[in-house]
């Protein structure tokens, strides 16, 4: 025997689920907005985050022209992507990569990266960057990943787009397309 | 409220993209009661667009997501893989099938490249003996191209080129700085380079505003300055009061009556998961070439054991896609550019129509070249691969300085060429696999032929010559023959066509010259299925013109009492 009220509620449940599925893209957009307002997800430990933050700033530093990766919160961007990732291999790659940086620093300088002197840190990064276009060792491969995500995070940030690249578009242009005369 | 299943409609249209939208537009205006079935949800570019959104407004910075495979800000719901909706490919072969699931389909996010086919494109077999001629000529379709131009709006320039017919054009936008540099190189190499032909308004049309040049057409235009099926065709059709739209309707099959005529369309209502039927006097399939093919092949009965409109086994055959390959180049002359807004329309302002004579080449069909470059809105993946720039790489102040100097210094050339239909490229029903609603799925077979490989090799050589002429360096080496000279996967360019082709001979075609099934006179196809050949032009403008012509024919036949 089927209880009529139960079957009704089941049908409602199915309909509700289907409606939620149909509205999924909107929910995603809403979730994205909520996420950017709230505290970002965290994957890295405080120590790992501090190391990543320093590495990103060394790759895209503050200079006379504009603030660098630290000001643009690039480490937070990467950590957020790691926290949201459903790919444990990718997450593990970052954790192992950061450990490899410290290991390389110990090998070259006798101290972990963040305890090394500025020129010692540069020596570590220089070694990692040696295989930029054709990475072979684990630190070289990690540098590739680190640089790619640092660049993505920085040049899609407010500082990267407006202060550094001085991008002029993304707005209403009235009348004819002005092109080169626009400035 | 009356339920769709209680009504007999004049016409049931399956699909809401370019072809379905145009059919609805023409048929409702002629007074027909039309129901349109769409598998996806509603999507309204004036409300749902992410136009002007900055990457940093999202923690993902615009990266693609599972739902938005072209980026989270894009106006596309769909992709090459859909949860619960598999397709298969023959062992060792590859075909990527793109499917939209949203009102308006791919017209929401397409590139708006709106090229007419030329006179030669309808009679290729007469010219080179390959493929087949269409049952209609350019002259048959020209009045409809004109009407499409006027209704939808298109910019371009009158050039008088032999196989690239001019249209009813609004003025084109000025070329961007980097485009002028490309044109100089093209002129020196005698490669024809002319203003693009895009369905984006540069002048107001009706109540639609002219383009404001933000370059974000693919996100959906909040001001309706570009063409989508909903904003120009479907929403106006709704104002006639003659159009009913049922979204979330996944069509399974078309049923026939005792006389062998199409009687109803059976679909799964995704909201209730129940199978429903809608009855109609005429059925117009416009679900995309392969999805319409799937519906026909799944419409089996004792009278039509091979599926509908398929007594000769033609449905699913003659599948083609546009060929593609691309090369990017770093051009020092574009370094250290002056900061200015070069967004422009959402697409290039110039392009290169096919300029050579295939009779003098080692491949039979041509291609056109689409170009890219400039200081667009930095998005996810911006300036990727800088280590390949000479001299790129490293880190620190030098790298940051390089990025500033390099921004806008990369150009891209992408070829889009005509494939000759071949016997190895087709789709059929996979007897062993069904989707989440139990509907049998398509299995694809795909092999490019030497015609296409030779053509793509020519593209690669041409693009490298253009980059060299600009004083630049390609960012990738020439792909070798073993990698097909960098040819795209079948389906990757999203121009799949031809699987329900038209023709005068009922034994070698599924549809007659009016896109009416030879076997079932109240069944029509209005998407890319009827195409007899690809041409080196994007298909949308021809889908629109052909759908309008087909809808006119349906109105005529109904008035004459023949349907």
């Amino acid at each position: 025997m089927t209880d009529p009220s139960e079957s009704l509620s089941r049908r409602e449940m199915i309909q509700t689920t289907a409606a939620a599925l149909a509205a999924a893209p909107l929910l995603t957009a809403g979730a994205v907005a909520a996420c950017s307002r709230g505290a970002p997800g965290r994957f890295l430990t405080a120590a790992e985050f501090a190391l990543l933050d320093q590495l990103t700033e060394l790759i895209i530093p503050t200079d006379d022209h504009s603030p660098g990766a630290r000001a643009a919160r690039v480490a937070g961007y990467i950590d957020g992507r790691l926290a949201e990732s459903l790919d444990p291999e990718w997450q593990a790659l970052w954790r192992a990569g950061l450990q490899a940086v410290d290991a390389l620093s110990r090998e070259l300088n006798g101290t972990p990266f963040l305890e090394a002197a500025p020129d010692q840190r540069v020596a570590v990064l220089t070694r990692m960057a040696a295989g930029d276009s054709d990475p072979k060792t684990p630190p070289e491969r990690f540098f590739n990943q680190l640089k790619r995500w640092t660049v993505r995070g920085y040049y899609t940030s407010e500082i990267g787009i407006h202060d550094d690249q001085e991008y002029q578009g993304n707005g209403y242009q009235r009348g004819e397309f002005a092109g080169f005369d626009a400035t | 409220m009356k339920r769709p299943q209680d009504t007999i409609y004049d016409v049931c249209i399956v699909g809401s993209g370019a072809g379905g939208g145009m059919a609805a537009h023409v048929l409702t205006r002629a007074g027909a009661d039309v129901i349109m079935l769409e598998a996806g949800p509603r999507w309204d570019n004036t409300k749902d667009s992410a136009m002007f959104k900055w990457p940093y407004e999202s923690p993902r910075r615009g990266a693609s997501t599972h739902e938005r495979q072209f980026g989270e800000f894009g106006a596309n719901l769909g992709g090459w893989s859909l949860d619960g909706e598999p397709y298969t490919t023959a062992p060792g072969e590859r075909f990527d099938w793109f499917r939209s699931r949203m009102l308006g389909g791919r017209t929401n996010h397409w590139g708006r490249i709106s090229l007419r086919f030329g006179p030669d494109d309808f009679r290729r077999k007469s010219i080179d003996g390959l493929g087949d001629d269409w049952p209609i000529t350019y002259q048959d379709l020209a009045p409809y191209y004109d009407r499409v131009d006027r209704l939808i709006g298109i910019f371009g320039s009158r050039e008088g080129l032999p196989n690239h017919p001019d249209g009813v054009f609004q003025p084109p936008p000025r070329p961007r700085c980097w485009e002028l540099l490309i044109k100089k190189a093209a002129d020196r190499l005698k490669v024809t380079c002319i203003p693009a032909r895009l369905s984006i308004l540069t002048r107001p049309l009706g109540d639609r505003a002219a383009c404001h040049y933000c370059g974000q057409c693919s996100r959906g235009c909040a001001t309706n300055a570009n063409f989508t099926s909903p904003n120009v065709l479907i929403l106006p059709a709704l104002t006639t009061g003659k159009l009913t739209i049922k979204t979330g309707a996944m069509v399974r099959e078309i049923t026939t009556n005792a006389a062998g005529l199409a009687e109803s369309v059976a679909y799964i209502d995704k909201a209730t998961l129940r199978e429903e039927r809608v009855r109609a006097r005429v059925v117009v399939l416009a679900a995309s070439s392969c999805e319409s093919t799937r519906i026909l092949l799944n419409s089996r009965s004792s009278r039509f054991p091979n599926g509908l409109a398929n007594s000769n086994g033609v449905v699913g055959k003659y599948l083609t896609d546009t060929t593609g390959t691309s090369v990017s180049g770093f051009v020092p002359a574009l370094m250290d550019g002056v900061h200015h807004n070069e967004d422009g329309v959402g697409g290039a302002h110039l392009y290169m129509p096919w300029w050579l004579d295939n009779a003098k080449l080692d491949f039979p069909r041509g291609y056109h070249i689409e170009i890219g470059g400039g200081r667009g809105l930095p998005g996810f993946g911006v300036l990727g691969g800088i280590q390949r720039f000479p001299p790129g790489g490293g880190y620190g102040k030098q790298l940051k300085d390089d990025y500033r100097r390099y921004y806008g210094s990369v150009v891209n050339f992408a070829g889009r060429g005509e494939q000759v239909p071949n016997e190895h490229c087709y789709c059929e029903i996979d007897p062993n696999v069904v989707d989440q609603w139990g509907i049998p799925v398509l299995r694809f077979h795909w092999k490019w032929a030497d015609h296409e490989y030779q053509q793509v090799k020519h593209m690669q050589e041409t693009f490298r010559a253009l980059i060299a002429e600009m004083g630049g360096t390609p960012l990738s080496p020439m792909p070798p023959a073993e990698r097909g000279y960098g040819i795209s996967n079948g389906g990757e360019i999203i121009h799949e066509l031809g699987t329900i082709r038209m023709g005068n001979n009922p034994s070698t075609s599924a549809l007659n010259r009016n896109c009416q099934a030879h076997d079932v006179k109240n069944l029509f196809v209005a998407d890319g299925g009827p195409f007899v050949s690809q041409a080196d032009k994007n298909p949308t403008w021809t889908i629109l013109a052909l759908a309008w012509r087909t809808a006119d024919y349906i109105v005529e036949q109904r008035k004459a009492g023949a349907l």
Side-chain angles (χ1 to χ4, degrees):
Chain A
M1 282 274 291
T2 308
D3 181 290
S5 66
E6 193 203 339
S7 77
L8 181 67
S9 76
R10 273 189 183 166
R11 193 157 68 236
E12 281 171 350
M13 191 181 71
I14 289 166
Q15 280 169 344
T16 308
T17 310
L21 283 173
L26 298 174
L27 290 176
T28 308
V32 166
C35 199
S36 64
R37 281 195 301 272
R42 282 278 173 260
F43 170 75
L44 300 172
T45 65
E48 287 168 334
F49 189 91
L51 174 56
L52 177 62
D53 190 44
Q54 182 60 44
L55 288 166
T56 61
E57 180 66 16
L58 281 171
I59 291 172
I60 305 286
T62 296
D63 64 5
D64 300 344
H65 183 80
S66 62
R70 175 168 289 151
R73 299 172 194 270
V74 169
Y77 160 70
I78 295 173
D79 196 20
R81 298 305 81 229
L82 284 165
E84 199 185 85
S85 173
L86 300 173
D87 180 358
E89 277 183 34
W90 188 63
Q91 291 173 324
L93 183 150
W94 278 84
R95 189 146 271 154
L98 291 168
Q99 282 166 6
V101 174
D102 265 340
L104 186 61
S105 180
R106 281 199 188 86
E107 180 192 323
L108 295 179
N109 308 316
T111 67
F113 189 85
L114 287 180
E115 289 168 28
D119 59 329
Q120 291 178 317
R121 295 177 183 181
V122 167
V124 172
L125 210 59
T126 303
R127 173 75 76 87
M128 290 171 64
D132 202 356
S133 56
D134 183 22
K136 291 194 171 69
T137 67
E140 283 175 2
R141 275 198 287 274
F142 179 62
F143 177 77
N144 218 278
Q145 184 83 203
L146 177 67
K147 178 170 157 182
R148 181 181 310 145
W149 282 90
T150 301
V151 165
R152 277 179 186 168
Y154 182 76
Y155 291 102
T156 55
S157 71
E158 274 189 86
I159 287 172
I161 291 175
H162 303 294
D163 299 348
D164 188 71
Q165 295 287 25
E166 302 174 65
Y167 168 72
Q168 306 287 309
N170 194 31
Y172 278 101
Q173 202 179 111
R174 303 200 183 276
E176 302 291 320
F177 172 66
F180 189 64
D181 299 338
T183 48
Chain B
M1 199 182 128
K2 80 182 174 182
R3 303 188 314 155
Q5 53 268 42
D6 297 334
T7 310
I8 300 181
Y9 291 91
D10 290 325
V11 185
C12 175
I13 300 171
V14 182
S16 62
M22 181 58 86
H25 181 82
V26 175
L27 291 167
T28 53
R29 245 144 241 267
D33 270 320
V34 175
I35 183 162
M36 170 181 273
L37 303 177
E38 162 57 46
R42 285 193 187 230
W43 203 87
D44 181 346
N45 51 276
T46 62
K47 299 188 185 79
D48 301 328
S49 160
M51 195 171 83
F52 292 154
K53 221 174 185 39
W54 294 98
Y56 47 77
E57 291 180 61
S58 159
R60 292 183 195 86
R61 309 285 170 90
S64 63
T65 64
H66 191 61
E67 296 80 20
R68 305 279 183 106
Q69 297 180 15
F70 291 153
E72 61 177 323
F73 302 142
N76 70 298
L77 308 178
W80 281 286
S81 64
L82 299 176
D83 285 343
E85 300 191 52
Y87 56 90
T88 62
T89 47
E93 299 181 1
R94 178 162 181 180
F95 185 82
D96 299 333
W97 186 23
F98 186 93
R99 289 162 295 170
S100 264
R101 293 289 182 260
M102 65 193 304
L103 191 72
R106 309 172 209 185
T107 66
N108 287 295
H109 55 88
W110 69 307
R112 274 89 188 177
I113 296 175
S114 305
L115 304 173
R116 296 178 178 211
F117 280 21
D120 291 352
D121 296 318
F122 294 90
R123 47 185 298 275
R124 285 290 169 196
K125 186 176 188 180
S126 298
I127 295 169
D128 64 17
L130 298 169
D132 273 296
D133 290 348
W134 290 55
I136 57 173
T137 65
Y138 176 70
Q139 293 312 321
D140 291 318
L141 218 47
Y144 288 97
Y145 281 130
D146 287 352
R147 291 190 205 176
V148 172
D149 289 354
R150 290 195 180 94
L151 175 69
I152 292 176
I154 176 175
F155 71 72
S157 56
R158 300 189 68 78
E159 302 285 340
L161 297 168
N163 198 41
H164 308 288
D166 297 327
V168 185
F169 292 136
Q170 295 193 344
R174 307 171 60 175
R176 303 167 175 101
C177 180
W178 58 272
E179 291 176 317
L180 289 169
L181 203 68
I182 287 178
K183 180 163 169 56
K184 267 191 198 171
D187 288 349
R188 284 195 297 268
L189 293 179
K190 301 198 171 7
V191 177
T192 307
C193 183
I194 62 172
R197 295 169 171 185
L198 308 184
S199 44
I200 299 167
L201 302 180
T202 56
R203 296 289 181 273
L205 181 65
D207 55 3
R208 296 166 55 209
C211 181
H212 53 267
Y213 306 109
C214 78
Q216 295 183 358
C217 286
S218 63
R219 296 181 176 193
C221 182
T223 71
N224 279 335
N226 63 28
F227 165 67
T228 69
S229 174
N231 70 4
V232 183
L233 303 174
I234 295 175
L235 299 181
L238 277 174
T239 65
T240 65
K242 307 293 273 181
L243 178 63
T244 305
I245 299 175
K246 174 68 194 157
T247 52
M250 185 67 198
V251 171
R252 175 197 295 276
E253 65 179 311
I254 299 165
T255 66
T256 49
N257 63 16
L261 293 174
E263 183 180 49
S264 76
V265 178
Y267 65 92
I268 312 297
D269 185 328
K270 290 180 174 176
T272 62
L273 302 179
R274 280 175 43 176
E275 178 159 322
E276 307 282 359
R277 262 160 220 265
V278 57
R279 286 183 288 165
R281 297 178 183 91
V282 171
V283 173
V284 176
L285 281 181
S288 84
S289 182
C290 296
E291 197 70 58
S292 292
T293 297
R294 180 185 176 202
I295 293 166
L296 289 176
L297 294 178
N298 278 328
S299 304
R300 290 173 212 223
S301 59
S302 53
R303 186 175 185 134
F304 299 105
N306 297 328
L308 216 50
N310 193 34
S311 60
N312 53 22
V314 159
V315 173
K317 292 188 175 155
Y318 306 104
L319 173 61
T320 56
D321 186 25
T322 295
T323 64
T325 196
S326 65
V327 182
S328 290
F330 164 62
V331 179
L334 288 166
M335 283 170 63
D336 304 307
V338 176
H339 294 294
H340 65 283
N341 180 354
E342 52 183 325
D343 285 348
V345 304
H349 294 186
L350 300 177
Y351 89 116
M352 301 173 205
W354 181 234
W355 70 103
L356 295 172
D357 178 1
N358 289 95
K360 297 172 184 158
L361 295 161
D362 61 357
F363 56 95
R365 303 291 168 83
Y367 61 88
H368 75 264
I369 308 173
E370 301 175 6
I371 58 178
R375 299 157 172 258
L377 176 62
F380 183 81
V382 61
L383 288 160
I386 192 173
Q387 68 278 3
R388 292 180 293 159
F389 293 25
Y395 60 89
K397 286 190 176 176
Q398 182 62 49
L399 178 73
K400 195 180 175 198
D401 192 47
D402 284 348
Y403 271 116
R404 276 198 293 273
R405 301 183 62 211
Y406 288 161
Y407 179 37
S409 68
V410 172
V411 294
N412 180 269
F413 297 91
R416 296 286 181 263
E418 178 174 0
Q419 177 194 7
V420 179
N422 74 60
E423 58 178 340
H424 302 293
C425 297
Y426 63 99
C427 57
E428 61 185 347
I429 295 297
D430 186 321
N432 303 314
V433 182
V434 296
D435 67 13
Q436 62 178 309
W437 302 286
I439 307 172
V441 310
L442 286 179
R443 176 167 64 198
F444 289 92
H445 300 255
W446 192 264
K447 269 181 198 153
W448 293 116
D450 281 345
H451 297 322
E452 287 78 55
Y453 289 123
Q454 292 305 115
Q455 180 199 64
V456 164
K457 178 168 178 268
H458 192 273
M459 291 180 191
Q460 284 278 342
E461 287 162 354
T462 302
F463 304 162
R464 285 161 201 282
L466 283 162
I467 291 167
E469 189 64 34
M470 296 175 79
T473 314
L475 292 180
S476 56
M478 171 87 183
E482 310 83 76
R483 284 192 38 234
Y485 304 108
I487 197 168
S488 49
N489 299 321
E492 192 183 335
I493 309 298
I494 321 184
H495 290 169
E496 65 284 357
L497 297 174
T499 48
I500 318 170
R501 70 174 190 169
M502 59 199 296
N504 288 324
N505 183 346
S507 65
T508 57
S509 58
L511 310 171
N512 67 17
R513 66 195 311 277
N514 296 306
C515 296
Q516 178 180 33
H518 288 300
D519 296 347
V520 187
K521 74 172 182 179
N522 67 340
L523 173 62
F524 296 81
V525 182
D527 50 31
F531 281 48
V532 180
S533 63
Q534 265 278 347
D536 52 46
K537 284 104 180 169
N538 308 45
T540 303
W541 225 239
T542 301
I543 290 174
L544 288 162
L546 208 53
W548 196 327
R549 182 174 176 274
T550 301
D552 268 3
Y553 178 76
I554 292 170
V555 172
E556 212 176 89
Q557 293 292 299
R558 278 282 285 168
K559 281 185 182 153
L563 278 175

